[in-house]
Amino acid sequence: DDMDAEEKAWYYEEMQKQLRSDHIQCAKDGVGRLLATGKLPALHQDVHARHQQREALQGQADVAAAKLDAAETMYGGLEQQNAKLLEKKQRCAKICRATYKEVE
């Protein structure tokens, strides 16, 4: 390569400026076409409808997450109750065995 680092940096910056300029021009042309064809209001309505749909789905997701949290809490409580019942059952079995031994 015959270019030094400074020249490469300058060309890189010039390329970036041109790309930004092309992008801006492309966006302006697109908006101009939308305005000329009268499609902008319909596009705005579509965007608004999708936004409302997204909000509704987010609300449903929040409700589902809350229900999941409640279910997990209840499951944790049931696990504790089950552990306590198992412990009581084991104690009762131990008492029964001891009682049977005394009766024999």
Tab-separated table of all heavy atoms in Angstrom, residues 10-69:
chain	number	residue	atom	x	y	z
A	10	TRP	N	-8.046	9.645	6.492
A	10	TRP	CA	-8.778	10.705	5.797
A	10	TRP	C	-9.777	10.091	4.811
A	10	TRP	O	-10.938	10.485	4.770
A	10	TRP	CB	-7.799	11.634	5.063
A	10	TRP	CG	-8.506	12.749	4.353
A	10	TRP	CD1	-8.936	13.915	4.906
A	10	TRP	CD2	-8.875	12.797	2.976
A	10	TRP	NE1	-9.554	14.692	3.959
A	10	TRP	CE2	-9.534	14.012	2.750
A	10	TRP	CE3	-8.711	11.920	1.908
A	10	TRP	CZ2	-10.039	14.385	1.511
A	10	TRP	CZ3	-9.215	12.295	0.665
A	10	TRP	CH2	-9.869	13.503	0.474
A	11	TYR	N	-9.343	9.090	4.033
A	11	TYR	CA	-10.235	8.432	3.077
A	11	TYR	C	-11.378	7.709	3.797
A	11	TYR	O	-12.523	7.714	3.345
A	11	TYR	CB	-9.468	7.444	2.187
A	11	TYR	CG	-8.790	8.123	1.027
A	11	TYR	CD1	-7.403	8.189	0.959
A	11	TYR	CD2	-9.524	8.699	-0.004
A	11	TYR	CE1	-6.764	8.821	-0.086
A	11	TYR	CE2	-8.897	9.339	-1.061
A	11	TYR	CZ	-7.520	9.390	-1.103
A	11	TYR	OH	-6.903	10.019	-2.145
A	12	TYR	N	-11.060	7.117	4.911
A	12	TYR	CA	-12.091	6.433	5.699
A	12	TYR	C	-13.155	7.420	6.158
A	12	TYR	O	-14.355	7.165	6.027
A	12	TYR	CB	-11.459	5.720	6.902
A	12	TYR	CG	-12.468	5.026	7.780
A	12	TYR	CD1	-12.999	3.791	7.423
A	12	TYR	CD2	-12.901	5.617	8.973
A	12	TYR	CE1	-13.930	3.158	8.221
A	12	TYR	CE2	-13.837	4.991	9.769
A	12	TYR	CZ	-14.345	3.766	9.387
A	12	TYR	OH	-15.283	3.150	10.175
A	13	GLU	N	-12.727	8.561	6.690
A	13	GLU	CA	-13.671	9.590	7.136
A	13	GLU	C	-14.515	10.106	5.977
A	13	GLU	O	-15.721	10.305	6.111
A	13	GLU	CB	-12.929	10.751	7.813
A	13	GLU	CG	-12.423	10.433	9.191
A	13	GLU	CD	-13.537	10.047	10.151
A	13	GLU	OE1	-14.616	10.679	10.139
A	13	GLU	OE2	-13.328	9.080	10.915
A	14	GLU	N	-13.870	10.311	4.814
A	14	GLU	CA	-14.603	10.783	3.638
A	14	GLU	C	-15.651	9.750	3.212
A	14	GLU	O	-16.773	10.099	2.843
A	14	GLU	CB	-13.640	11.072	2.478
A	14	GLU	CG	-12.812	12.323	2.675
A	14	GLU	CD	-13.665	13.575	2.840
A	14	GLU	OE1	-14.572	13.814	2.008
A	14	GLU	OE2	-13.438	14.313	3.809
A	15	MET	N	-15.274	8.468	3.272
A	15	MET	CA	-16.208	7.411	2.927
A	15	MET	C	-17.393	7.401	3.888
A	15	MET	O	-18.551	7.251	3.478
A	15	MET	CB	-15.484	6.057	2.986
A	15	MET	CG	-15.678	5.240	1.755
A	15	MET	SD	-14.747	3.671	1.721
A	15	MET	CE	-14.333	3.271	3.365
A	16	GLN	N	-17.110	7.554	5.174
A	16	GLN	CA	-18.179	7.578	6.175
A	16	GLN	C	-19.125	8.746	5.945
A	16	GLN	O	-20.339	8.600	6.025
A	16	GLN	CB	-17.577	7.655	7.594
A	16	GLN	CG	-16.880	6.395	8.034
A	16	GLN	CD	-17.844	5.225	8.147
A	16	GLN	OE1	-18.956	5.349	8.626
A	16	GLN	NE2	-17.407	4.079	7.650
A	17	LYS	N	-18.556	9.928	5.635
A	17	LYS	CA	-19.389	11.101	5.351
A	17	LYS	C	-20.279	10.841	4.153
A	17	LYS	O	-21.463	11.188	4.154
A	17	LYS	CB	-18.509	12.338	5.088
A	17	LYS	CG	-17.859	12.912	6.309
A	17	LYS	CD	-16.985	14.101	5.923
A	17	LYS	CE	-16.126	14.563	7.077
A	17	LYS	NZ	-15.185	15.624	6.671
A	18	GLN	N	-19.733	10.242	3.106
A	18	GLN	CA	-20.505	9.963	1.894
A	18	GLN	C	-21.621	8.957	2.177
A	18	GLN	O	-22.747	9.119	1.715
A	18	GLN	CB	-19.591	9.440	0.772
A	18	GLN	CG	-20.290	9.267	-0.556
A	18	GLN	CD	-20.869	10.564	-1.090
A	18	GLN	OE1	-20.209	11.592	-1.077
A	18	GLN	NE2	-22.103	10.515	-1.549
A	19	LEU	N	-21.317	7.939	2.978
A	19	LEU	CA	-22.336	6.944	3.329
A	19	LEU	C	-23.471	7.577	4.133
A	19	LEU	O	-24.646	7.303	3.877
A	19	LEU	CB	-21.710	5.796	4.130
A	19	LEU	CG	-20.890	4.794	3.332
A	19	LEU	CD1	-20.184	3.831	4.277
A	19	LEU	CD2	-21.757	4.027	2.352
A	20	ARG	N	-23.126	8.447	5.074
A	20	ARG	CA	-24.155	9.143	5.861
A	20	ARG	C	-24.998	10.021	4.960
A	20	ARG	O	-26.227	10.046	5.050
A	20	ARG	CB	-23.515	9.965	6.976
A	20	ARG	CG	-23.134	9.152	8.191
A	20	ARG	CD	-22.774	10.043	9.382
A	20	ARG	NE	-21.530	10.769	9.209
A	20	ARG	CZ	-20.331	10.292	9.501
A	20	ARG	NH1	-20.216	9.072	9.976
A	20	ARG	NH2	-19.256	11.014	9.317
A	21	SER	N	-24.341	10.720	4.064
A	21	SER	CA	-25.053	11.602	3.134
A	21	SER	C	-25.989	10.791	2.237
A	21	SER	O	-27.142	11.166	2.019
A	21	SER	CB	-24.041	12.377	2.294
A	21	SER	OG	-24.703	13.159	1.336
A	22	ASP	N	-25.498	9.667	1.710
A	22	ASP	CA	-26.331	8.809	0.860
A	22	ASP	C	-27.522	8.271	1.639
A	22	ASP	O	-28.643	8.209	1.122
A	22	ASP	CB	-25.512	7.638	0.315
A	22	ASP	CG	-24.474	8.063	-0.712
A	22	ASP	OD1	-24.507	9.242	-1.150
A	22	ASP	OD2	-23.613	7.220	-1.051
A	23	HIS	N	-27.287	7.880	2.894
A	23	HIS	CA	-28.364	7.355	3.726
A	23	HIS	C	-29.432	8.425	3.970
A	23	HIS	O	-30.629	8.150	3.870
A	23	HIS	CB	-27.789	6.844	5.051
A	23	HIS	CG	-28.836	6.344	5.992
A	23	HIS	ND1	-29.509	5.168	5.794
A	23	HIS	CD2	-29.337	6.877	7.141
A	23	HIS	CE1	-30.381	4.993	6.773
A	23	HIS	NE2	-30.283	6.012	7.604
A	24	ILE	N	-29.001	9.619	4.294
A	24	ILE	CA	-29.939	10.721	4.543
A	24	ILE	C	-30.739	11.013	3.281
A	24	ILE	O	-31.962	11.179	3.331
A	24	ILE	CB	-29.194	11.976	5.049
A	24	ILE	CG1	-28.684	11.726	6.470
A	24	ILE	CG2	-30.092	13.202	5.002
A	24	ILE	CD1	-27.716	12.769	6.973
A	25	GLN	N	-30.069	11.060	2.141
A	25	GLN	CA	-30.760	11.338	0.883
A	25	GLN	C	-31.770	10.248	0.560
A	25	GLN	O	-32.880	10.515	0.130
A	25	GLN	CB	-29.762	11.494	-0.275
A	25	GLN	CG	-30.386	11.999	-1.550
A	25	GLN	CD	-31.088	13.341	-1.369
A	25	GLN	OE1	-30.542	14.274	-0.790
A	25	GLN	NE2	-32.320	13.431	-1.836
A	26	CYS	N	-31.395	9.004	0.801
A	26	CYS	CA	-32.298	7.874	0.552
A	26	CYS	C	-33.542	7.986	1.439
A	26	CYS	O	-34.661	7.771	0.975
A	26	CYS	CB	-31.559	6.572	0.809
A	26	CYS	SG	-32.519	5.101	0.454
A	27	ALA	N	-33.349	8.335	2.706
A	27	ALA	CA	-34.481	8.492	3.627
A	27	ALA	C	-35.381	9.637	3.191
A	27	ALA	O	-36.610	9.517	3.192
A	27	ALA	CB	-33.971	8.725	5.044
A	28	LYS	N	-34.791	10.747	2.773
A	28	LYS	CA	-35.583	11.891	2.288
A	28	LYS	C	-36.389	11.505	1.057
A	28	LYS	O	-37.567	11.849	0.940
A	28	LYS	CB	-34.664	13.073	1.947
A	28	LYS	CG	-34.137	13.820	3.131
A	28	LYS	CD	-33.259	14.977	2.649
A	28	LYS	CE	-32.669	15.765	3.782
A	28	LYS	NZ	-31.785	16.840	3.294
A	29	ASP	N	-35.754	10.780	0.141
A	29	ASP	CA	-36.455	10.343	-1.070
A	29	ASP	C	-37.625	9.427	-0.726
A	29	ASP	O	-38.712	9.541	-1.294
A	29	ASP	CB	-35.495	9.614	-2.020
A	29	ASP	CG	-34.442	10.533	-2.628
A	29	ASP	OD1	-34.601	11.778	-2.544
A	29	ASP	OD2	-33.448	10.007	-3.172
A	30	GLY	N	-37.400	8.524	0.227
A	30	GLY	CA	-38.466	7.613	0.635
A	30	GLY	C	-39.641	8.342	1.245
A	30	GLY	O	-40.800	8.048	0.933
A	31	VAL	N	-39.373	9.304	2.121
A	31	VAL	CA	-40.450	10.096	2.730
A	31	VAL	C	-41.167	10.898	1.651
A	31	VAL	O	-42.404	10.989	1.646
A	31	VAL	CB	-39.900	11.019	3.845
A	31	VAL	CG1	-40.971	12.006	4.303
A	31	VAL	CG2	-39.408	10.188	5.015
A	32	GLY	N	-40.399	11.463	0.722
A	32	GLY	CA	-41.017	12.217	-0.379
A	32	GLY	C	-41.960	11.351	-1.194
A	32	GLY	O	-43.066	11.775	-1.551
A	33	ARG	N	-41.547	10.107	-1.483
A	33	ARG	CA	-42.421	9.198	-2.237
A	33	ARG	C	-43.679	8.863	-1.441
A	33	ARG	O	-44.774	8.794	-1.995
A	33	ARG	CB	-41.666	7.919	-2.592
A	33	ARG	CG	-40.737	8.073	-3.773
A	33	ARG	CD	-40.223	6.726	-4.284
A	33	ARG	NE	-39.522	5.935	-3.286
A	33	ARG	CZ	-38.231	6.101	-2.977
A	33	ARG	NH1	-37.503	7.027	-3.579
A	33	ARG	NH2	-37.662	5.337	-2.065
A	34	LEU	N	-43.522	8.637	-0.133
A	34	LEU	CA	-44.700	8.348	0.701
A	34	LEU	C	-45.677	9.523	0.702
A	34	LEU	O	-46.888	9.337	0.607
A	34	LEU	CB	-44.273	8.017	2.135
A	34	LEU	CG	-43.681	6.638	2.362
A	34	LEU	CD1	-43.131	6.534	3.766
A	34	LEU	CD2	-44.713	5.549	2.134
A	35	LEU	N	-45.133	10.733	0.812
A	35	LEU	CA	-45.998	11.915	0.799
A	35	LEU	C	-46.680	12.078	-0.547
A	35	LEU	O	-47.868	12.428	-0.617
A	35	LEU	CB	-45.187	13.172	1.141
A	35	LEU	CG	-44.750	13.304	2.602
A	35	LEU	CD1	-43.776	14.455	2.760
A	35	LEU	CD2	-45.957	13.503	3.502
A	36	ALA	N	-45.952	11.830	-1.618
A	36	ALA	CA	-46.501	12.001	-2.961
A	36	ALA	C	-47.600	10.986	-3.256
A	36	ALA	O	-48.568	11.293	-3.951
A	36	ALA	CB	-45.384	11.877	-4.004
A	37	THR	N	-47.474	9.790	-2.705
A	37	THR	CA	-48.477	8.753	-2.982
A	37	THR	C	-49.618	8.762	-1.979
A	37	THR	O	-50.594	8.039	-2.140
A	37	THR	CB	-47.831	7.355	-2.956
A	37	THR	OG1	-47.266	7.135	-1.670
A	37	THR	CG2	-46.778	7.212	-4.037
A	38	GLY	N	-49.505	9.565	-0.943
A	38	GLY	CA	-50.569	9.627	0.062
A	38	GLY	C	-50.583	8.423	0.984
A	38	GLY	O	-51.561	8.177	1.674
A	39	LYS	N	-49.515	7.647	1.027
A	39	LYS	CA	-49.467	6.437	1.860
A	39	LYS	C	-49.013	6.717	3.285
A	39	LYS	O	-49.091	5.835	4.130
A	39	LYS	CB	-48.540	5.401	1.218
A	39	LYS	CG	-49.079	4.837	-0.065
A	39	LYS	CD	-48.161	3.758	-0.601
A	39	LYS	CE	-48.705	3.195	-1.901
A	39	LYS	NZ	-47.812	2.200	-2.480
A	40	LEU	N	-48.554	7.922	3.549
A	40	LEU	CA	-48.032	8.208	4.888
A	40	LEU	C	-49.093	8.070	5.984
A	40	LEU	O	-48.827	7.451	7.013
A	40	LEU	CB	-47.388	9.595	4.918
A	40	LEU	CG	-46.457	9.875	6.071
A	40	LEU	CD1	-45.342	8.849	6.148
A	40	LEU	CD2	-45.861	11.265	5.954
A	41	PRO	N	-50.331	8.609	5.794
A	41	PRO	CA	-51.332	8.423	6.859
A	41	PRO	C	-51.631	6.941	7.128
A	41	PRO	O	-51.755	6.534	8.279
A	41	PRO	CB	-52.573	9.142	6.320
A	41	PRO	CG	-52.020	10.180	5.404
A	41	PRO	CD	-50.818	9.524	4.761
A	42	ALA	N	-51.719	6.139	6.069
A	42	ALA	CA	-51.989	4.703	6.266
A	42	ALA	C	-50.828	4.047	7.002
A	42	ALA	O	-51.033	3.215	7.888
A	42	ALA	CB	-52.220	4.035	4.913
A	43	LEU	N	-49.622	4.432	6.646
A	43	LEU	CA	-48.446	3.893	7.319
A	43	LEU	C	-48.454	4.284	8.793
A	43	LEU	O	-48.174	3.469	9.670
A	43	LEU	CB	-47.172	4.407	6.641
A	43	LEU	CG	-45.856	3.930	7.216
A	43	LEU	CD1	-45.734	2.412	7.068
A	43	LEU	CD2	-44.696	4.607	6.514
A	44	HIS	N	-48.828	5.526	9.075
A	44	HIS	CA	-48.904	5.994	10.469
A	44	HIS	C	-49.938	5.192	11.244
A	44	HIS	O	-49.712	4.805	12.392
A	44	HIS	CB	-49.251	7.483	10.504
A	44	HIS	CG	-49.323	8.027	11.886
A	44	HIS	ND1	-50.505	8.095	12.586
A	44	HIS	CD2	-48.357	8.484	12.730
A	44	HIS	CE1	-50.272	8.596	13.789
A	44	HIS	NE2	-48.982	8.834	13.897
A	45	GLN	N	-51.073	4.925	10.620
A	45	GLN	CA	-52.111	4.132	11.281
A	45	GLN	C	-51.612	2.710	11.563
A	45	GLN	O	-51.877	2.154	12.631
A	45	GLN	CB	-53.380	4.088	10.430
A	45	GLN	CG	-54.125	5.410	10.397
A	45	GLN	CD	-55.284	5.393	9.416
A	45	GLN	OE1	-55.397	4.496	8.585
A	45	GLN	NE2	-56.139	6.398	9.515
A	46	ASP	N	-50.902	2.136	10.602
A	46	ASP	CA	-50.347	0.798	10.810
A	46	ASP	C	-49.365	0.781	11.974
A	46	ASP	O	-49.393	-0.124	12.809
A	46	ASP	CB	-49.626	0.310	9.546
A	46	ASP	CG	-50.588	-0.078	8.434
A	46	ASP	OD1	-51.798	-0.199	8.696
A	46	ASP	OD2	-50.098	-0.256	7.292
A	47	VAL	N	-48.504	1.780	12.014
A	47	VAL	CA	-47.520	1.862	13.101
A	47	VAL	C	-48.241	2.019	14.439
A	47	VAL	O	-47.900	1.364	15.424
A	47	VAL	CB	-46.531	3.022	12.855
A	47	VAL	CG1	-45.690	3.287	14.094
A	47	VAL	CG2	-45.643	2.711	11.658
A	48	HIS	N	-49.265	2.874	14.465
A	48	HIS	CA	-50.029	3.095	15.701
A	48	HIS	C	-50.731	1.803	16.130
A	48	HIS	O	-50.712	1.441	17.321
A	48	HIS	CB	-51.045	4.217	15.486
A	48	HIS	CG	-51.809	4.574	16.708
A	48	HIS	ND1	-51.215	5.129	17.821
A	48	HIS	CD2	-53.122	4.421	17.018
A	48	HIS	CE1	-52.134	5.321	18.755
A	48	HIS	NE2	-53.294	4.895	18.287
A	49	ALA	N	-51.322	1.083	15.182
A	49	ALA	CA	-52.014	-0.169	15.502
A	49	ALA	C	-51.031	-1.197	16.052
A	49	ALA	O	-51.331	-1.899	17.023
A	49	ALA	CB	-52.716	-0.710	14.254
A	50	ARG	N	-49.859	-1.275	15.455
A	50	ARG	CA	-48.856	-2.233	15.948
A	50	ARG	C	-48.365	-1.847	17.337
A	50	ARG	O	-48.098	-2.712	18.173
A	50	ARG	CB	-47.690	-2.329	14.977
A	50	ARG	CG	-48.060	-3.109	13.738
A	50	ARG	CD	-46.913	-3.277	12.821
A	50	ARG	NE	-47.376	-3.906	11.596
A	50	ARG	CZ	-46.673	-4.760	10.914
A	50	ARG	NH1	-45.472	-5.104	11.309
A	50	ARG	NH2	-47.157	-5.294	9.816
A	51	HIS	N	-48.250	-0.558	17.580
A	51	HIS	CA	-47.829	-0.094	18.905
A	51	HIS	C	-48.875	-0.499	19.950
A	51	HIS	O	-48.529	-0.988	21.037
A	51	HIS	CB	-47.622	1.416	18.895
A	51	HIS	CG	-47.185	1.977	20.196
A	51	HIS	ND1	-45.929	1.747	20.723
A	51	HIS	CD2	-47.833	2.732	21.112
A	51	HIS	CE1	-45.838	2.339	21.895
A	51	HIS	NE2	-46.981	2.943	22.160
A	52	GLN	N	-50.157	-0.289	19.613
A	52	GLN	CA	-51.221	-0.675	20.548
A	52	GLN	C	-51.227	-2.190	20.766
A	52	GLN	O	-51.415	-2.663	21.891
A	52	GLN	CB	-52.581	-0.216	20.020
A	52	GLN	CG	-52.788	1.270	20.154
A	52	GLN	CD	-54.153	1.698	19.648
A	52	GLN	OE1	-54.650	1.178	18.655
A	52	GLN	NE2	-54.748	2.659	20.322
A	53	GLN	N	-50.997	-2.933	19.677
A	53	GLN	CA	-50.947	-4.390	19.788
A	53	GLN	C	-49.792	-4.824	20.685
A	53	GLN	O	-49.933	-5.706	21.529
A	53	GLN	CB	-50.797	-4.996	18.389
A	53	GLN	CG	-50.825	-6.498	18.360
A	53	GLN	CD	-50.645	-7.039	16.950
A	53	GLN	OE1	-49.971	-6.429	16.131
A	53	GLN	NE2	-51.252	-8.179	16.674
A	54	ARG	N	-48.648	-4.169	20.529
A	54	ARG	CA	-47.488	-4.485	21.353
A	54	ARG	C	-47.777	-4.189	22.813
A	54	ARG	O	-47.421	-4.971	23.705
A	54	ARG	CB	-46.264	-3.688	20.882
A	54	ARG	CG	-44.983	-4.106	21.581
A	54	ARG	CD	-43.781	-3.344	21.128
A	54	ARG	NE	-43.491	-2.094	21.773
A	54	ARG	CZ	-43.350	-1.856	23.076
A	54	ARG	NH1	-43.542	-2.802	23.952
A	54	ARG	NH2	-43.034	-0.676	23.540
A	55	GLU	N	-48.446	-3.066	23.088
A	55	GLU	CA	-48.790	-2.722	24.471
A	55	GLU	C	-49.739	-3.761	25.065
A	55	GLU	O	-49.598	-4.147	26.223
A	55	GLU	CB	-49.406	-1.330	24.538
A	55	GLU	CG	-48.401	-0.210	24.385
A	55	GLU	CD	-49.037	1.169	24.483
A	55	GLU	OE1	-50.278	1.285	24.403
A	55	GLU	OE2	-48.279	2.134	24.644
A	56	ALA	N	-50.708	-4.208	24.252
A	56	ALA	CA	-51.649	-5.225	24.733
A	56	ALA	C	-50.915	-6.530	25.030
A	56	ALA	O	-51.167	-7.172	26.058
A	56	ALA	CB	-52.751	-5.451	23.696
A	57	LEU	N	-50.016	-6.921	24.143
A	57	LEU	CA	-49.250	-8.144	24.364
A	57	LEU	C	-48.350	-8.021	25.588
A	57	LEU	O	-48.194	-8.981	26.354
A	57	LEU	CB	-48.410	-8.475	23.124
A	57	LEU	CG	-49.198	-8.956	21.907
A	57	LEU	CD1	-48.283	-9.060	20.698
A	57	LEU	CD2	-49.883	-10.278	22.187
A	58	GLN	N	-47.777	-6.831	25.791
A	58	GLN	CA	-46.948	-6.619	26.981
A	58	GLN	C	-47.788	-6.740	28.243
A	58	GLN	O	-47.354	-7.320	29.240
A	58	GLN	CB	-46.272	-5.246	26.925
A	58	GLN	CG	-45.325	-4.987	28.082
A	58	GLN	CD	-44.177	-5.970	28.130
A	58	GLN	OE1	-43.498	-6.170	27.125
A	58	GLN	NE2	-43.946	-6.590	29.277
A	59	GLY	N	-49.019	-6.212	28.183
A	59	GLY	CA	-49.930	-6.346	29.321
A	59	GLY	C	-50.241	-7.804	29.615
A	59	GLY	O	-50.245	-8.233	30.774
A	60	GLN	N	-50.485	-8.579	28.550
A	60	GLN	CA	-50.752	-10.007	28.729
A	60	GLN	C	-49.530	-10.719	29.300
A	60	GLN	O	-49.656	-11.599	30.164
A	60	GLN	CB	-51.143	-10.640	27.399
A	60	GLN	CG	-52.505	-10.207	26.892
A	60	GLN	CD	-52.804	-10.750	25.499
A	60	GLN	OE1	-51.955	-11.363	24.866
A	60	GLN	NE2	-54.013	-10.512	25.031
A	61	ALA	N	-48.357	-10.341	28.828
A	61	ALA	CA	-47.124	-10.948	29.342
A	61	ALA	C	-46.937	-10.606	30.816
A	61	ALA	O	-46.516	-11.463	31.607
A	61	ALA	CB	-45.927	-10.473	28.525
A	62	ASP	N	-47.263	-9.375	31.203
A	62	ASP	CA	-47.139	-8.979	32.610
A	62	ASP	C	-48.089	-9.787	33.493
A	62	ASP	O	-47.716	-10.226	34.580
A	62	ASP	CB	-47.415	-7.476	32.767
A	62	ASP	CG	-46.327	-6.607	32.148
A	62	ASP	OD1	-45.231	-7.134	31.847
A	62	ASP	OD2	-46.580	-5.399	31.957
A	63	VAL	N	-49.325	-9.976	33.000
A	63	VAL	CA	-50.306	-10.763	33.756
A	63	VAL	C	-49.817	-12.198	33.890
A	63	VAL	O	-49.877	-12.800	34.972
A	63	VAL	CB	-51.698	-10.712	33.070
A	63	VAL	CG1	-52.640	-11.750	33.648
A	63	VAL	CG2	-52.302	-9.321	33.207
A	64	ALA	N	-49.309	-12.766	32.790
A	64	ALA	CA	-48.808	-14.145	32.828
A	64	ALA	C	-47.632	-14.264	33.792
A	64	ALA	O	-47.534	-15.245	34.538
A	64	ALA	CB	-48.400	-14.594	31.427
A	65	ALA	N	-46.751	-13.274	33.802
A	65	ALA	CA	-45.600	-13.309	34.706
A	65	ALA	C	-46.064	-13.238	36.162
A	65	ALA	O	-45.527	-13.945	37.027
A	65	ALA	CB	-44.644	-12.158	34.393
A	66	ALA	N	-47.071	-12.414	36.425
A	66	ALA	CA	-47.599	-12.305	37.787
A	66	ALA	C	-48.236	-13.634	38.220
A	66	ALA	O	-48.052	-14.082	39.363
A	66	ALA	CB	-48.613	-11.172	37.874
A	67	LYS	N	-48.964	-14.271	37.303
A	67	LYS	CA	-49.579	-15.558	37.629
A	67	LYS	C	-48.509	-16.616	37.877
A	67	LYS	O	-48.653	-17.449	38.783
A	67	LYS	CB	-50.503	-16.012	36.485
A	67	LYS	CG	-51.796	-15.236	36.408
A	67	LYS	CD	-52.667	-15.737	35.263
A	67	LYS	CE	-53.978	-14.980	35.206
A	67	LYS	NZ	-54.826	-15.444	34.081
A	68	LEU	N	-47.451	-16.584	37.078
A	68	LEU	CA	-46.356	-17.535	37.267
A	68	LEU	C	-45.696	-17.330	38.629
A	68	LEU	O	-45.426	-18.296	39.341
A	68	LEU	CB	-45.320	-17.383	36.149
A	68	LEU	CG	-44.101	-18.291	36.243
A	68	LEU	CD1	-44.510	-19.758	36.156
A	68	LEU	CD2	-43.099	-17.962	35.154
A	69	ASP	N	-45.470	-16.078	38.996
A	69	ASP	CA	-44.886	-15.794	40.309
A	69	ASP	C	-45.772	-16.331	41.427
A	69	ASP	O	-45.289	-16.943	42.389
A	69	ASP	CB	-44.668	-14.288	40.498
A	69	ASP	CG	-43.518	-13.747	39.666
A	69	ASP	OD1	-42.708	-14.560	39.158
A	69	ASP	OD2	-43.437	-12.513	39.517
